[in-house]
Amino acid sequence: MEYMTASQAAKKWSISQRRVQILCAEGRIPGVFKLGEAWAIPADTQKPEDKRRKDETDNG
């Protein structure tokens, strides 16, 4: 299996590296693990849904 760094994932998903690190720490990315101080993210992983954004069709 191939892995990418948080920096590579950030570029791939068009989000900040810090946001990727937070997603990793929260367990929101399946198959991720820490290798020393760096996160190893499966290369075929899709960007997790951003739960901070409220769906505009949601009336709640």
Side-chain angles (χ1 to χ4, degrees):
M1 179 178 273
E2 291 188 32
Y3 293 90
M4 60 183 164
T5 64
S7 177
Q8 292 167 326
K11 288 178 186 173
K12 181 178 178 180
W13 298 336
S14 300
I15 59 176
S16 72
Q17 181 177 343
R18 181 65 185 135
R19 183 71 188 137
V20 173
Q21 293 168 337
I22 290 168
L23 292 169
C24 291
E26 290 178 345
R28 303 254 321 273
I29 301 175
V32 71
F33 64 93
K34 203 142 190 206
L35 190 59
E37 293 200 17
W39 289 101
I41 303 163
D44 60 350
T45 301
Q46 297 296 312
K47 177 182 173 184
E49 183 179 323
D50 190 346
K51 294 188 178 192
R52 298 174 304 165
R53 292 182 180 246
K54 186 176 179 182
D55 185 3
E56 291 181 16
T57 60
D58 184 11
N59 293 325

